[in-house]
mmCIF file of all heavy atoms in Angstrom:
data_model
loop_
_atom_site.group_PDB
_atom_site.id
_atom_site.type_symbol
_atom_site.label_atom_id
_atom_site.label_comp_id
_atom_site.label_asym_id
_atom_site.label_seq_id
_atom_site.Cartn_x
_atom_site.Cartn_y
_atom_site.Cartn_z
ATOM 1 N N LEU A 178 22.980 8.264 -6.638
ATOM 2 C CA LEU A 178 21.787 7.629 -6.039
ATOM 3 C C LEU A 178 21.406 8.370 -4.743
ATOM 4 O O LEU A 178 20.249 8.615 -4.488
ATOM 5 C CB LEU A 178 22.094 6.153 -5.741
ATOM 6 C CG LEU A 178 21.008 5.416 -4.943
ATOM 7 C CD1 LEU A 178 19.741 5.318 -5.749
ATOM 8 C CD2 LEU A 178 21.506 4.028 -4.592
ATOM 9 N N ARG A 179 22.415 8.731 -3.972
ATOM 10 C CA ARG A 179 22.125 9.378 -2.685
ATOM 11 C C ARG A 179 21.357 10.651 -2.866
ATOM 12 O O ARG A 179 20.479 11.012 -2.104
ATOM 13 C CB ARG A 179 23.460 9.667 -1.921
ATOM 14 C CG ARG A 179 24.061 8.431 -1.322
ATOM 15 C CD ARG A 179 25.125 8.823 -0.312
ATOM 16 N NE ARG A 179 26.133 9.672 -0.872
ATOM 17 C CZ ARG A 179 27.210 9.230 -1.509
ATOM 18 N NH1 ARG A 179 27.374 7.938 -1.678
ATOM 19 N NH2 ARG A 179 28.100 10.049 -1.976
ATOM 20 N N LEU A 180 21.710 11.416 -3.915
ATOM 21 C CA LEU A 180 21.081 12.710 -4.123
ATOM 22 C C LEU A 180 19.618 12.615 -4.510
ATOM 23 O O LEU A 180 18.870 13.556 -4.407
ATOM 24 C CB LEU A 180 21.859 13.495 -5.177
ATOM 25 C CG LEU A 180 23.201 14.017 -4.717
ATOM 26 C CD1 LEU A 180 23.934 14.713 -5.882
ATOM 27 C CD2 LEU A 180 23.050 14.982 -3.567
ATOM 28 N N ILE A 181 19.198 11.411 -4.975
ATOM 29 C CA ILE A 181 17.799 11.253 -5.366
ATOM 30 C C ILE A 181 17.080 10.225 -4.505
ATOM 31 O O ILE A 181 15.946 9.902 -4.737
ATOM 32 C CB ILE A 181 17.696 10.840 -6.849
ATOM 33 C CG1 ILE A 181 18.339 9.496 -7.092
ATOM 34 C CG2 ILE A 181 18.236 11.907 -7.769
ATOM 35 C CD1 ILE A 181 18.091 8.954 -8.467
ATOM 36 N N THR A 182 17.757 9.776 -3.422
ATOM 37 C CA THR A 182 17.151 8.749 -2.575
ATOM 38 C C THR A 182 15.792 9.222 -2.073
ATOM 39 O O THR A 182 14.808 8.475 -2.081
ATOM 40 C CB THR A 182 18.062 8.420 -1.386
ATOM 41 O OG1 THR A 182 19.298 7.908 -1.876
ATOM 42 C CG2 THR A 182 17.410 7.367 -0.495
ATOM 43 N N TYR A 183 15.770 10.437 -1.576
ATOM 44 C CA TYR A 183 14.490 11.022 -1.124
ATOM 45 C C TYR A 183 14.250 12.250 -1.983
ATOM 46 O O TYR A 183 14.393 13.368 -1.542
ATOM 47 C CB TYR A 183 14.518 11.339 0.375
ATOM 48 C CG TYR A 183 14.285 10.120 1.167
ATOM 49 C CD1 TYR A 183 15.346 9.320 1.575
ATOM 50 C CD2 TYR A 183 13.027 9.683 1.490
ATOM 51 C CE1 TYR A 183 15.147 8.108 2.256
ATOM 52 C CE2 TYR A 183 12.791 8.493 2.178
ATOM 53 C CZ TYR A 183 13.852 7.746 2.581
ATOM 54 O OH TYR A 183 13.679 6.571 3.269
ATOM 55 N N SER A 184 13.951 11.985 -3.263
ATOM 56 C CA SER A 184 13.646 13.046 -4.229
ATOM 57 C C SER A 184 12.332 13.720 -3.830
ATOM 58 O O SER A 184 11.677 13.306 -2.886
ATOM 59 C CB SER A 184 13.495 12.471 -5.621
ATOM 60 O OG SER A 184 12.461 11.547 -5.635
ATOM 61 N N ILE A 185 11.955 14.745 -4.553
ATOM 62 C CA ILE A 185 10.740 15.454 -4.220
ATOM 63 C C ILE A 185 9.559 14.513 -4.154
ATOM 64 O O ILE A 185 8.700 14.592 -3.274
ATOM 65 C CB ILE A 185 10.482 16.589 -5.259
ATOM 66 C CG1 ILE A 185 11.546 17.673 -5.084
ATOM 67 C CG2 ILE A 185 9.119 17.178 -5.053
ATOM 68 C CD1 ILE A 185 11.601 18.292 -3.713
ATOM 69 N N GLY A 186 9.473 13.558 -5.078
ATOM 70 C CA GLY A 186 8.359 12.625 -5.037
ATOM 71 C C GLY A 186 8.351 11.830 -3.779
ATOM 72 O O GLY A 186 7.331 11.612 -3.178
ATOM 73 N N GLY A 187 9.559 11.369 -3.356
ATOM 74 C CA GLY A 187 9.633 10.607 -2.115
ATOM 75 C C GLY A 187 9.297 11.451 -0.908
ATOM 76 O O GLY A 187 8.627 10.969 0.017
ATOM 77 N N VAL A 188 9.740 12.689 -0.919
ATOM 78 C CA VAL A 188 9.397 13.567 0.188
ATOM 79 C C VAL A 188 7.919 13.813 0.276
ATOM 80 O O VAL A 188 7.344 13.844 1.379
ATOM 81 C CB VAL A 188 10.154 14.950 0.030
ATOM 82 C CG1 VAL A 188 9.630 15.949 1.047
ATOM 83 C CG2 VAL A 188 11.652 14.747 0.228
ATOM 84 N N VAL A 189 7.284 13.924 -0.852
ATOM 85 C CA VAL A 189 5.812 14.136 -0.862
ATOM 86 C C VAL A 189 5.140 12.963 -0.162
ATOM 87 O O VAL A 189 4.249 13.138 0.695
ATOM 88 C CB VAL A 189 5.272 14.269 -2.287
ATOM 89 C CG1 VAL A 189 3.749 14.236 -2.291
ATOM 90 C CG2 VAL A 189 5.749 15.552 -2.927
ATOM 91 N N VAL A 190 5.529 11.750 -0.495
ATOM 92 C CA VAL A 190 4.943 10.550 0.116
ATOM 93 C C VAL A 190 5.134 10.556 1.638
ATOM 94 O O VAL A 190 4.225 10.319 2.394
ATOM 95 C CB VAL A 190 5.551 9.287 -0.495
ATOM 96 C CG1 VAL A 190 5.013 8.053 0.256
ATOM 97 C CG2 VAL A 190 5.173 9.175 -1.958
ATOM 98 N N LEU A 191 6.373 10.843 2.038
ATOM 99 C CA LEU A 191 6.660 10.851 3.456
ATOM 100 C C LEU A 191 5.850 11.891 4.216
ATOM 101 O O LEU A 191 5.233 11.623 5.207
ATOM 102 C CB LEU A 191 8.169 11.126 3.692
ATOM 103 C CG LEU A 191 9.149 10.010 3.345
ATOM 104 C CD1 LEU A 191 10.574 10.538 3.430
ATOM 105 C CD2 LEU A 191 8.925 8.844 4.290
ATOM 106 N N LEU A 192 5.845 13.073 3.672
ATOM 107 C CA LEU A 192 5.253 14.201 4.386
ATOM 108 C C LEU A 192 3.704 14.143 4.381
ATOM 109 O O LEU A 192 3.108 14.473 5.391
ATOM 110 C CB LEU A 192 5.731 15.503 3.789
ATOM 111 C CG LEU A 192 7.236 15.724 3.906
ATOM 112 C CD1 LEU A 192 7.597 17.131 3.407
ATOM 113 C CD2 LEU A 192 7.707 15.569 5.334
ATOM 114 N N VAL A 193 3.159 13.725 3.287
ATOM 115 C CA VAL A 193 1.677 13.642 3.251
ATOM 116 C C VAL A 193 1.179 12.604 4.225
ATOM 117 O O VAL A 193 0.259 12.833 4.982
ATOM 118 C CB VAL A 193 1.193 13.348 1.787
ATOM 119 C CG1 VAL A 193 -0.294 12.978 1.863
ATOM 120 C CG2 VAL A 193 1.413 14.507 0.889
ATOM 121 N N GLY A 194 1.864 11.430 4.248
ATOM 122 C CA GLY A 194 1.494 10.389 5.213
ATOM 123 C C GLY A 194 1.659 10.847 6.622
ATOM 124 O O GLY A 194 0.796 10.636 7.475
ATOM 125 N N TYR A 195 2.761 11.547 6.890
ATOM 126 C CA TYR A 195 3.033 12.036 8.219
ATOM 127 C C TYR A 195 2.007 13.085 8.599
ATOM 128 O O TYR A 195 1.493 13.081 9.741
ATOM 129 C CB TYR A 195 4.453 12.643 8.216
ATOM 130 C CG TYR A 195 4.855 13.322 9.457
ATOM 131 C CD1 TYR A 195 4.831 12.648 10.690
ATOM 132 C CD2 TYR A 195 5.290 14.649 9.447
ATOM 133 C CE1 TYR A 195 5.230 13.256 11.867
ATOM 134 C CE2 TYR A 195 5.692 15.250 10.606
ATOM 135 C CZ TYR A 195 5.685 14.566 11.817
ATOM 136 O OH TYR A 195 6.090 15.212 12.947
ATOM 137 N N LEU A 196 1.682 13.980 7.691
ATOM 138 C CA LEU A 196 0.744 15.049 7.983
ATOM 139 C C LEU A 196 -0.655 14.510 8.304
ATOM 140 O O LEU A 196 -1.278 14.930 9.286
ATOM 141 C CB LEU A 196 0.646 16.022 6.789
ATOM 142 C CG LEU A 196 -0.354 17.172 6.924
ATOM 143 C CD1 LEU A 196 -0.020 18.058 8.140
ATOM 144 C CD2 LEU A 196 -0.368 18.010 5.669
ATOM 145 N N VAL A 197 -1.105 13.557 7.480
ATOM 146 C CA VAL A 197 -2.426 12.981 7.702
ATOM 147 C C VAL A 197 -2.502 12.342 9.082
ATOM 148 O O VAL A 197 -3.456 12.500 9.820
ATOM 149 C CB VAL A 197 -2.764 11.938 6.626
ATOM 150 C CG1 VAL A 197 -4.012 11.153 7.001
ATOM 151 C CG2 VAL A 197 -2.947 12.617 5.256
ATOM 152 N N TYR A 198 -1.443 11.624 9.432
ATOM 153 C CA TYR A 198 -1.421 11.000 10.753
ATOM 154 C C TYR A 198 -1.475 12.032 11.908
ATOM 155 O O TYR A 198 -2.286 11.914 12.781
ATOM 156 C CB TYR A 198 -0.098 10.168 10.877
ATOM 157 C CG TYR A 198 0.169 9.674 12.238
ATOM 158 C CD1 TYR A 198 -0.535 8.605 12.792
ATOM 159 C CD2 TYR A 198 1.199 10.227 13.008
ATOM 160 C CE1 TYR A 198 -0.263 8.126 14.067
ATOM 161 C CE2 TYR A 198 1.488 9.757 14.267
ATOM 162 C CZ TYR A 198 0.751 8.703 14.779
ATOM 163 O OH TYR A 198 1.038 8.214 16.035
ATOM 164 N N ARG A 199 -0.649 13.028 11.768
ATOM 165 C CA ARG A 199 -0.579 14.028 12.826
ATOM 166 C C ARG A 199 -1.829 14.892 12.924
ATOM 167 O O ARG A 199 -2.182 15.390 14.002
ATOM 168 C CB ARG A 199 0.647 14.934 12.636
ATOM 169 C CG ARG A 199 1.961 14.231 12.850
ATOM 170 C CD ARG A 199 2.132 13.733 14.269
ATOM 171 N NE ARG A 199 2.202 14.791 15.243
ATOM 172 C CZ ARG A 199 3.371 15.282 15.646
ATOM 173 N NH1 ARG A 199 4.523 14.860 15.177
ATOM 174 N NH2 ARG A 199 3.356 16.268 16.550
ATOM 175 N N GLN A 200 -2.521 15.090 11.827
ATOM 176 C CA GLN A 200 -3.734 15.911 11.844
ATOM 177 C C GLN A 200 -4.786 15.397 12.804
ATOM 178 O O GLN A 200 -5.579 16.139 13.354
ATOM 179 C CB GLN A 200 -4.346 16.025 10.430
ATOM 180 C CG GLN A 200 -3.615 17.050 9.572
ATOM 181 C CD GLN A 200 -4.195 17.116 8.194
ATOM 182 O OE1 GLN A 200 -4.785 16.172 7.687
ATOM 183 N NE2 GLN A 200 -4.003 18.242 7.517
ATOM 184 N N PHE A 201 -4.787 14.103 13.016
ATOM 185 C CA PHE A 201 -5.827 13.479 13.864
ATOM 186 C C PHE A 201 -5.443 13.503 15.343
ATOM 187 O O PHE A 201 -6.305 13.326 16.201
ATOM 188 C CB PHE A 201 -6.088 12.041 13.428
ATOM 189 C CG PHE A 201 -6.829 11.980 12.120
ATOM 190 C CD1 PHE A 201 -6.157 11.695 10.951
ATOM 191 C CD2 PHE A 201 -8.215 12.188 12.071
ATOM 192 C CE1 PHE A 201 -6.862 11.632 9.726
ATOM 193 C CE2 PHE A 201 -8.916 12.122 10.857
ATOM 194 C CZ PHE A 201 -8.229 11.834 9.705
ATOM 195 N N ILE A 202 -4.171 13.713 15.651
ATOM 196 C CA ILE A 202 -3.783 13.615 17.061
ATOM 197 C C ILE A 202 -3.153 14.888 17.579
ATOM 198 O O ILE A 202 -2.939 15.037 18.770
ATOM 199 C CB ILE A 202 -2.808 12.441 17.270
ATOM 200 C CG1 ILE A 202 -1.472 12.688 16.551
ATOM 201 C CG2 ILE A 202 -3.403 11.137 16.831
ATOM 202 C CD1 ILE A 202 -0.411 11.661 16.943
ATOM 203 N N PHE A 203 -2.828 15.835 16.697
ATOM 204 C CA PHE A 203 -2.158 17.035 17.132
ATOM 205 C C PHE A 203 -3.156 18.092 17.572
ATOM 206 O O PHE A 203 -4.287 18.158 17.069
ATOM 207 C CB PHE A 203 -1.262 17.566 16.012
ATOM 208 C CG PHE A 203 0.088 17.955 16.475
ATOM 209 C CD1 PHE A 203 0.950 16.985 16.946
ATOM 210 C CD2 PHE A 203 0.504 19.248 16.466
ATOM 211 C CE1 PHE A 203 2.239 17.318 17.392
ATOM 212 C CE2 PHE A 203 1.788 19.616 16.881
ATOM 213 C CZ PHE A 203 2.645 18.627 17.341
ATOM 214 N N GLY A 204 -2.777 18.919 18.503
ATOM 215 C CA GLY A 204 -3.672 19.942 19.052
ATOM 216 C C GLY A 204 -3.991 21.040 18.067
ATOM 217 O O GLY A 204 -3.337 21.223 17.073
ATOM 218 N N PRO A 205 -5.016 21.829 18.404
ATOM 219 C CA PRO A 205 -5.491 22.898 17.521
ATOM 220 C C PRO A 205 -4.462 24.011 17.282
ATOM 221 O O PRO A 205 -4.585 24.773 16.321
ATOM 222 C CB PRO A 205 -6.730 23.457 18.251
ATOM 223 C CG PRO A 205 -6.565 23.010 19.654
ATOM 224 C CD PRO A 205 -5.845 21.709 19.607
ATOM 225 N N GLU A 206 -3.443 24.121 18.153
ATOM 226 C CA GLU A 206 -2.443 25.150 17.993
ATOM 227 C C GLU A 206 -1.667 24.953 16.713
ATOM 228 O O GLU A 206 -0.970 25.839 16.209
ATOM 229 C CB GLU A 206 -1.491 25.191 19.193
ATOM 230 C CG GLU A 206 -0.610 23.977 19.343
ATOM 231 C CD GLU A 206 -1.268 22.885 20.184
ATOM 232 O OE1 GLU A 206 -2.515 22.966 20.378
ATOM 233 O OE2 GLU A 206 -0.569 21.954 20.598
ATOM 234 N N ASN A 207 -1.745 23.772 16.139
ATOM 235 C CA ASN A 207 -0.996 23.474 14.910
ATOM 236 C C ASN A 207 -1.865 23.634 13.649
ATOM 237 O O ASN A 207 -1.347 23.416 12.535
ATOM 238 C CB ASN A 207 -0.485 22.032 14.926
ATOM 239 C CG ASN A 207 0.726 21.903 15.871
ATOM 240 O OD1 ASN A 207 1.791 22.355 15.541
ATOM 241 N ND2 ASN A 207 0.506 21.329 17.023
ATOM 242 N N ASP A 208 -3.119 23.966 13.770
ATOM 243 C CA ASP A 208 -4.012 24.029 12.623
ATOM 244 C C ASP A 208 -3.498 24.922 11.508
ATOM 245 O O ASP A 208 -3.545 24.544 10.336
ATOM 246 C CB ASP A 208 -5.402 24.527 13.072
ATOM 247 C CG ASP A 208 -6.165 23.444 13.830
ATOM 248 O OD1 ASP A 208 -5.711 22.260 13.807
ATOM 249 O OD2 ASP A 208 -7.185 23.793 14.427
ATOM 250 N N LYS A 209 -2.979 26.071 11.857
ATOM 251 C CA LYS A 209 -2.556 27.031 10.863
ATOM 252 C C LYS A 209 -1.265 26.598 10.159
ATOM 253 O O LYS A 209 -0.968 27.009 9.053
ATOM 254 C CB LYS A 209 -2.324 28.435 11.465
ATOM 255 C CG LYS A 209 -3.626 29.081 11.910
ATOM 256 C CD LYS A 209 -3.325 30.478 12.440
ATOM 257 C CE LYS A 209 -4.633 31.196 12.893
ATOM 258 N NZ LYS A 209 -4.335 32.545 13.439
ATOM 259 N N SER A 210 -0.507 25.732 10.810
ATOM 260 C CA SER A 210 0.794 25.323 10.276
ATOM 261 C C SER A 210 0.661 24.195 9.242
ATOM 262 O O SER A 210 1.531 24.022 8.405
ATOM 263 C CB SER A 210 1.705 24.854 11.405
ATOM 264 O OG SER A 210 1.386 23.549 11.791
ATOM 265 N N LYS A 211 -0.465 23.485 9.289
ATOM 266 C CA LYS A 211 -0.529 22.222 8.531
ATOM 267 C C LYS A 211 -0.400 22.375 7.029
ATOM 268 O O LYS A 211 0.113 21.529 6.348
ATOM 269 C CB LYS A 211 -1.820 21.471 8.916
ATOM 270 C CG LYS A 211 -1.793 20.941 10.314
ATOM 271 C CD LYS A 211 -3.134 20.315 10.733
ATOM 272 C CE LYS A 211 -3.073 19.779 12.133
ATOM 273 N NZ LYS A 211 -4.351 19.255 12.577
ATOM 274 N N GLY A 212 -0.941 23.493 6.490
ATOM 275 C CA GLY A 212 -0.803 23.692 5.061
ATOM 276 C C GLY A 212 0.209 24.749 4.683
ATOM 277 O O GLY A 212 0.341 25.075 3.510
ATOM 278 N N ALA A 213 0.969 25.187 5.668
ATOM 279 C CA ALA A 213 1.888 26.315 5.467
ATOM 280 C C ALA A 213 3.037 25.977 4.524
ATOM 281 O O ALA A 213 3.575 26.870 3.846
ATOM 282 C CB ALA A 213 2.434 26.817 6.798
ATOM 283 N N TYR A 214 3.432 24.719 4.477
ATOM 284 C CA TYR A 214 4.580 24.347 3.684
ATOM 285 C C TYR A 214 4.245 24.014 2.244
ATOM 286 O O TYR A 214 5.140 23.779 1.400
ATOM 287 C CB TYR A 214 5.319 23.141 4.311
ATOM 288 C CG TYR A 214 4.533 21.863 4.264
ATOM 289 C CD1 TYR A 214 4.619 21.005 3.161
ATOM 290 C CD2 TYR A 214 3.677 21.514 5.314
ATOM 291 C CE1 TYR A 214 3.849 19.834 3.137
ATOM 292 C CE2 TYR A 214 2.943 20.343 5.269
ATOM 293 C CZ TYR A 214 3.052 19.529 4.192
ATOM 294 O OH TYR A 214 2.285 18.366 4.151
#
């Protein structure tokens, strides 16, 4: 169970939500990094 607790699907949910949030408040120096991963 531990190995799939945060499976790729779960990571997608976490990171997309996190990214959307940060896109609105983070400075322009991060623009190029946002889609890099």
Side-chain angles (χ1 to χ4, degrees):
L178 173 65
R179 285 195 303 274
L180 288 176
I181 61 172
T182 299
Y183 281 89
S184 61
I185 291 302
V188 170
V189 171
V190 173
L191 287 173
L192 297 186
V193 170
Y195 175 56
L196 178 59
V197 170
Y198 170 73
R199 291 298 293 267
Q200 280 179 334
F201 288 101
I202 66 171
F203 226 65
E206 66 273 14
N207 285 286
D208 286 349
K209 291 182 179 179
S210 80
K211 289 175 180 175
Y214 68 89

